[in-house]
Amino acid sequence: MQKTIQGKDETAALVILKQQPTEDVTPLPFQPYIALLYGVITEPSQSKQHLRYLTAVAAADNYKNCMGWLQKLVDLKFVKLLVACRSQLLWLVRELVHVNAPGVDKVVACLMRYLTGGDPSRTTIWLASSMIRVLIEHEAWLLSSSSLIPFVFHTFARIALDHSAAQHASLLKQEVELCTTLWNRRQADVAQLGREIVRVLSDAKDIPGMNALWKQLRNVRDTAEAEKEVTVYSVAHLMVIPTPPKYLAYRLNPKMEEYLLFMMYRIGRTCSRSRAVHLRCLSSLEPDSELKGHTAVPHSWMALPALVRVLILAR
């Protein structure tokens, strides 16, 4: 890309990057979206210029291709990126949120999949701090993204359990404040999580701040007659709302999803029975008491049958 636009001013460079291949025009030897994303992430010194090009080119199709490639990058390559490249990727997401780029909410949701529960590692803490900073800085944007709000609440209410140590006090405070804001100002959107809200808040009830949300939820009285539109949800209201599988599936990080899909589709093909039969068998299994008590077995794998059921429903 650099060879193609080298020595040209910004206007001329944009004309080249925006050109559509036709019979009379030789196609570019690179894909502009991929080249510009690569430039933003790997060349910090020129990232602002690449971003200007990227936003101009992406506007042609309302960011469809740009966000598609960015989602693939996050899903497939995020854990393999160098630290500097990860920082640049988060900077890019922040800038796209700042300009309210269509589809950036899906990229944010993809990044939050790496905020897995029970993992207070340095990388996870850094990602949580970076993501929550972006969301707090762009609170108005977040509050307008009804589809993203349940993912944000679910993620940060869950990982707050892992940040009770003194060194994470600032992060925990931000997480509690964010969850409180979403619950108080966009309760109907958060309520899309259904009964999962009750479980998450019950687990987090010992955390200062989250405890207030739990008490607030429990103190809501159930109405004698069913209301047409519920504005303040009680435990009873939420318990009758099934949690959509997509929210549970997004709590699986991409690596675990890859393992589960491998088991579901690849291993199933080598067996004599049909895949559907094997999926039903796998999803109906429950670990026995001896396996549950074995310290060598990760707790995440105890939930394998439930996770398989979630993936089946989500697909």
Side-chain angles (χ1 to χ4, degrees):
M1 181 183 72
Q2 291 290 3
K3 292 181 180 179
T4 305
I5 63 176
Q6 188 174 11
K8 296 179 173 58
D9 59 25
E10 191 165 322
T11 303
L14 283 175
V15 170
I16 295 173
L17 293 172
K18 287 182 176 181
Q19 72 182 16
Q20 299 295 326
T22 61
E23 294 181 358
D24 301 327
V25 178
T26 304
L28 294 172
F30 58 88
Q31 295 189 47
Y33 298 103
I34 299 177
L36 290 169
L37 286 172
Y38 179 85
V40 171
I41 293 171
T42 61
E43 299 177 355
S45 60
Q46 300 184 46
S47 58
K48 291 185 178 180
Q49 182 184 44
H50 290 320
L51 179 61
R52 287 198 300 272
Y53 290 157
L54 179 63
T55 52
V57 173
D61 66 348
N62 204 29
Y63 286 84
K64 182 179 179 181
N65 278 307
C66 174
M67 294 305 169
W69 284 111
L70 195 51
Q71 281 182 256
K72 287 183 179 180
L73 175 63
V74 171
D75 279 340
L76 302 177
K77 300 295 183 181
F78 182 76
V79 295
K80 299 179 181 179
L81 292 178
L82 298 175
V83 173
C85 293
R86 289 183 187 178
S87 298
Q88 280 299 112
L89 177 59
L90 266 294
W91 175 83
L92 172 60
V93 171
R94 178 183 177 277
E95 293 301 313
L96 292 174
V97 170
H98 187 69
V99 299
N100 195 19
V104 71
D105 55 328
K106 295 179 181 178
V107 178
V108 171
C110 288
L111 281 168
M112 288 193 299
R113 294 185 67 187
Y114 291 97
L115 297 176
T116 53
D119 178 23
S121 63
R122 181 181 300 178
T123 300
T124 305
I125 294 295
W126 168 81
L127 181 59
S129 301
S130 301
M131 292 300 301
I132 205 165
R133 192 180 306 118
V134 171
L135 295 172
I136 290 174
E137 287 177 358
H138 301 88
E139 182 180 293
W141 171 83
L142 174 60
L143 293 177
S144 67
S145 303
S146 298
S147 60
L148 181 63
I149 287 173
F151 292 108
V152 174
F153 184 91
H154 195 196
T155 298
F156 286 101
R158 169 59 189 89
I159 65 173
L161 292 169
D162 306 321
H163 303 152
S164 57
Q167 63 265 34
H168 306 319
S170 177
L171 175 59
L172 178 61
K173 180 182 177 183
Q174 290 179 315
E175 290 168 342
V176 170
E177 289 177 351
L178 179 61
C179 291
T180 302
T181 297
L182 294 179
W183 181 252
N184 290 334
R185 299 182 61 180
R186 291 294 184 271
Q187 193 169 134
D189 293 329
V190 176
Q192 295 177 61
L193 288 167
R195 59 176 67 107
E196 180 70 4
I197 296 174
V198 179
R199 186 193 68 80
V200 171
L201 290 182
S202 177
D203 289 345
K205 63 185 177 183
D206 294 330
I207 298 176
M210 298 300 287
N211 178 265
L213 282 181
W214 174 242
K215 288 181 178 179
Q216 181 181 337
L217 176 62
R218 292 193 62 184
N219 289 337
V220 176
R221 294 185 178 181
D222 301 323
T223 54
E225 298 180 359
E227 298 180 6
K228 293 182 179 180
E229 292 187 7
V230 179
T231 55
V232 180
Y233 288 81
S234 66
V235 172
H237 281 133
L238 294 173
M239 289 302 292
V240 298
I241 303 175
T243 300
K246 64 180 180 180
Y247 296 124
L248 298 176
Y250 256 76
R251 292 306 301 137
L252 294 174
N253 64 47
K255 197 65 178 177
M256 181 174 281
E257 181 180 3
E258 180 185 343
Y259 290 154
L260 288 174
L261 291 177
F262 175 81
M263 294 176 65
M264 290 166 58
Y265 291 96
R266 298 293 180 86
I267 295 179
R269 289 176 182 174
T270 64
C271 301
S272 56
R273 296 183 181 182
S274 68
R275 183 190 308 167
V277 172
H278 281 283
L279 292 181
R280 285 197 297 270
C281 291
L282 184 57
S283 64
S284 64
L285 292 175
E286 293 295 342
D288 57 27
S289 56
E290 181 180 355
L291 184 61
K292 288 180 179 178
H294 204 293
T295 56
V297 180
H299 287 287
S300 57
W301 290 103
M302 296 297 182
L304 178 60
L307 296 178
V308 171
R309 288 193 289 270
V310 166
L311 282 178
I312 293 172
L313 292 172
R315 289 174 174 268

